[in-house]
Amino acid sequence: MRLLTTALALALLAATPALAAEKLRIATTSGYPPFNYVDDAGEIAGFDVDIALALCEEIGAECEIVLEEWERLIPELRAGSFDAIAASMSITEKRRQLVSFTERYYSNLVRFVARKGSGFDPADAAGTTIGAARATIASDWLEANLAGTATIKLYAGQEELYGDLVAGRLDAMFGDGLGSHAWLQGAEGAGFEFVGEGYRLDEGIGIAVHHEDASLLSRLNGALEAILANGAYERINARYFPFSIY
């Protein structure tokens, strides 16, 4: 009887398909190189994407990276369209009211960029026109501190913002220092420079998840700690920057 029972159990196990790996949909944007962009092969790429894939590998999940417009990221996360956001999103108290964040996966400053020799002075910006990406900590700061002094123009994406700066339609732009650093190294940014000191306006850059998904948040934090310890984070960092951005 025991042999028959054991044989039946083995047969049932053999007939049961292996449990599928957990699938996570992680959203990013595509207009903020080197953190997120679509490469020449049409693939979603960048530092944010590499970090997301490394975290998924660490927790044993199958990771699907999806694109979403910046201003739709948090609303669509809250609507359940995806499980997390890895899009260089600053951790702020305002956003904490809507989503939960992992520990930071990199740090950043917000800085002004202007044409070399332009004489632009952030401390004396009266009559100037300054651009920033819409719905960012940079645009929030400009509207809180320079509205009425300077003309503030807001953009849906970085490419349009940089384009207007190069075309002379802006006296300066205000945005993430690391993204601007990468742009300044290229041909388009060669005639521009950082102006003034950087501003720390957030608690670092984190991955956002639903408030209700405490389990995923905990596992992502554990995975982040692991890749920082095992060298995976350092290898990803080195693909994009010659210095640590953690």
Side-chain angles (χ1 to χ4, degrees):
M1 182 66 175
R2 179 177 297 174
L3 290 175
L4 179 60
T5 303
T6 301
L8 180 59
L10 290 172
L12 288 172
L13 285 173
T16 302
L19 291 176
E22 177 186 13
K23 293 184 178 181
L24 293 178
R25 284 169 55 84
I26 300 182
T28 191
T29 58
S30 63
Y32 185 43
F35 292 96
N36 50 71
Y37 58 94
V38 176
D39 65 18
D40 293 339
E43 300 294 328
I44 309 169
F47 180 85
D48 292 330
V49 175
D50 288 354
I51 290 293
L53 293 174
L55 295 180
C56 284
E57 181 178 357
E58 193 66 37
I59 65 177
E62 181 182 329
C63 192
E64 180 187 2
I65 305 296
V66 299
L67 289 179
E68 183 55 80
E69 294 179 7
W70 171 258
E71 292 177 87
R72 295 298 306 161
L73 284 169
I74 288 179
E76 291 299 326
L77 175 66
R78 286 166 57 85
S81 298
F82 31 78
D83 302 294
I85 299 168
S88 289
M89 184 169 284
S90 294
I91 304 169
T92 66
E93 189 56 39
K94 180 179 178 181
R95 288 178 179 149
R96 283 187 188 278
Q97 296 174 20
L98 301 172
V99 296
S100 295
F101 284 99
T102 63
E103 297 299 321
R104 81 177 195 276
Y105 65 97
Y106 76 90
S107 300
N108 208 350
L109 296 176
V110 183
R111 303 195 65 178
F112 286 98
V113 173
R115 189 175 295 277
K116 292 178 180 179
S118 69
F120 174 79
D121 182 359
D124 184 19
T128 63
T129 301
I130 305 171
R134 187 178 296 117
T136 62
I137 56 173
S139 64
D140 288 347
W141 188 92
L142 286 177
E143 292 180 320
N145 291 275
L146 292 181
T149 299
T151 299
I152 299 168
K153 294 184 67 175
L154 302 182
Y155 297 80
Q158 292 293 127
E159 291 184 6
E160 185 184 2
L161 172 56
Y162 288 135
D164 269 10
L165 183 64
V166 170
R169 288 186 282 270
L170 298 173
D171 296 295
M173 62 151 284
F174 190 54
D176 292 343
L178 289 171
S180 295
H181 168 83
W183 182 75
L184 289 170
Q185 308 314 302
E188 190 178 50
F192 296 83
E193 63 185 353
F194 286 123
V195 179
E197 299 299 317
Y199 298 73
R200 189 169 298 283
L201 303 178
D202 60 21
E203 303 168 41
I205 308 299
I207 293 174
V209 301
H210 302 272
H211 277 319
E212 299 80 7
D213 208 342
S215 174
L216 177 58
L217 182 67
S218 176
R219 287 183 294 144
L220 288 174
N221 275 326
L224 178 57
E225 184 176 350
I227 67 171
L228 284 165
N230 65 23
Y233 182 96
E234 185 177 3
R235 289 190 293 274
I236 294 170
N237 190 131
R239 292 173 197 163
Y240 300 95
F241 297 97
F243 49 84
S244 174
I245 67 171
Y246 181 71

